[in-house]
Amino acid sequence: MIPHLMQFAQAEAEGGGISFTTMLLIGFLVIFGFFFLIFFGMFASVASLWFRAFMSGAMVGPVQMVVMKLKKVNPQVIVDSRIMAVQAGLQGVTTNAMESHYLAGGNVPIIVRSMIAAHRAKIDLDWNTAAAIDLAGRNVLEAVQTSVKTKVIDCPDVTRHGRSTLDGVARDGIQLKARARVTVRTNLGQLVGGATEETIIARVGEGIVSAIGSCETHKEVLANPMLIAKAVLDKGLDSQTAYEIVSIDIADIDVGDNVGARLQADQAEADVRIARAKAEERRAQAVAREQEMKALTQEHQAEVVLAESEIPKSMADAYRDGSLRASKS
């Protein structure tokens, strides 16, 4: 086909018509015009976004915006996030990174807002860390806000565990019922893979019960509840968790039952029952022994009667044999 076109082009050139080069140029221009019309039609739908980004100093190229539409990325989300990042003075946040995170199913505006909040609060948070936290299912903006503004956790949490107090027993046997409030802030470095609030509540609860149990008397705890808080803080309970414990405050502490006296009473009652059981066992053994002796006595009496019944027989045999004679006086 191409040789025919070349022959046709040569014939047209000899006849004073259009040259082959001109035809190729016209064909190229037609194809280019076709693609340009497609590009212009797609760009027309995002032209207002491009102009707004241009006026805001967050320039996003026209070709890049059209490519976004081809990749099914929402240009509105990317442009708005780009404008927020540039206006807030964030560095290192590229449009390509935003597109990649959007295609991965992440929430780009949340990440940008969290980075702005961290930047204003002078918290070190880069794009990769924020994106990892977001893709892990955590609310990165809430985590940054908790880093700036501390969060208070009730220990125990009635809504989660159904218990209102932490019950510990001092060495003198007196039960103490305590309630604590734990002030924490988010540890962004441990947010991915770190333990959650449940672990903090469990560790603090165990620490408070252990601290109460280590006191000699309950009066020590009542006189200075901060002894418990200090003992718990010294254990480093926030290790490998998503939070950093700022403080532990004993909100309330009440005296409960005298567990020691109750246990002693229960032990005494158990000892009485054991003694009664042993006495009953000895009585039963004595009764059984008595019955055995009575039976043995009856057996011996029967043997005596049997022996006495043999005497007349022996005497008769003696008379009959002549071995029994009357003695002369």
Side-chain angles (χ1 to χ4, degrees):
M1 181 177 179
I2 295 177
H4 291 292
L5 290 175
M6 294 179 65
Q7 292 176 3
F8 176 75
Q10 290 177 357
E12 290 292 331
E14 292 175 357
I18 301 175
S19 64
F20 178 71
T21 305
T22 304
M23 291 179 60
L24 289 178
L25 181 60
I26 292 173
F28 177 76
L29 290 176
V30 170
I31 295 174
F32 178 78
F34 176 75
F35 283 105
F36 178 78
L37 289 176
I38 296 176
F39 174 82
F40 183 78
M42 296 183 68
F43 178 72
S45 60
V46 294
S48 60
L49 288 175
W50 174 84
F51 184 74
R52 187 155 61 88
F54 175 77
M55 296 301 296
S56 300
M59 184 61 185
V60 180
V63 177
Q64 192 170 13
M65 298 190 72
V66 173
V67 172
M68 287 183 198
K69 292 184 68 66
L70 293 175
K71 292 191 295 185
K72 294 185 179 180
V73 176
N74 191 347
Q76 179 79 38
V77 175
I78 303 301
V79 170
D80 290 343
S81 302
R82 174 73 176 166
I83 292 173
M84 282 193 297
V86 171
Q87 293 296 321
L90 295 180
Q91 302 294 331
V93 182
T94 63
T95 306
N96 290 331
M98 293 182 183
E99 290 182 30
S100 299
H101 190 69
Y102 182 91
L103 291 173
N107 194 328
V108 177
I110 288 292
I111 290 185
V112 173
R113 287 201 293 269
S114 64
M115 292 186 65
I116 293 173
H119 176 70
R120 297 293 172 84
K122 300 186 182 303
I123 298 174
D124 187 17
L125 178 65
D126 57 10
W127 174 267
N128 292 332
T129 302
I133 294 172
D134 182 63
L135 292 178
R138 299 289 186 88
N139 191 328
V140 61
L141 181 59
E142 181 181 350
V144 173
Q145 290 172 348
T146 307
S147 298
V148 177
K149 182 180 179 181
T150 57
K151 180 179 181 179
V152 177
I153 303 174
D154 291 327
C155 184
D157 192 345
V158 181
T159 60
R160 296 182 181 182
H161 304 95
R163 297 183 58 185
S164 59
T165 59
L166 296 169
D167 301 339
V169 180
R171 292 184 178 179
D172 60 355
I174 304 300
Q175 183 187 51
L176 295 177
K177 299 176 178 292
R179 285 187 293 272
R181 307 196 75 187
V182 185
T183 304
V184 299
R185 61 168 168 247
T186 302
N187 184 358
L188 295 176
Q190 292 287 340
L191 191 59
V192 178
T196 57
E197 294 181 16
E198 294 285 346
T199 302
I200 293 290
I201 294 174
R203 289 182 180 180
V204 172
E206 183 273 335
I208 290 176
V209 173
S210 176
I212 293 175
S214 63
C215 294
E216 291 295 334
T217 64
H218 70 286
K219 296 179 182 179
E220 295 180 11
V221 182
L222 294 176
N224 189 7
M226 286 305 298
L227 289 174
I228 301 176
K230 185 176 183 303
V232 176
L233 281 174
D234 291 342
K235 291 185 177 181
L237 302 179
D238 53 3
S239 176
Q240 300 299 319
T241 65
Y243 298 97
E244 177 184 353
I245 297 178
V246 178
S247 67
I248 298 176
D249 303 307
I250 305 301
D252 188 19
I253 186 166
D254 298 323
V255 178
D257 299 333
N258 192 336
V259 178
R262 187 178 64 191
L263 291 177
Q264 291 177 357
D266 293 342
Q267 184 63 42
E269 181 66 23
D271 292 340
V272 169
R273 292 178 181 177
I274 292 174
R276 288 177 178 174
K278 290 182 178 179
E280 181 65 24
E281 180 182 0
R282 290 194 297 270
R283 190 190 68 81
Q285 290 177 352
V287 171
R289 181 63 177 169
E290 180 184 6
Q291 296 298 324
E292 290 177 359
M293 296 304 295
K294 286 182 179 180
L296 185 61
T297 301
Q298 294 293 330
E299 183 180 352
H300 289 169
Q301 289 178 351
E303 292 177 354
V304 170
V305 172
L306 182 62
E308 289 178 349
S309 66
E310 295 292 331
I311 294 174
K313 293 181 181 180
S314 298
M315 293 177 67
D317 292 339
Y319 275 117
R320 194 179 296 114
D321 295 339
S323 56
L324 182 64
R325 294 186 178 91
S327 62
K328 296 181 179 179
S329 56

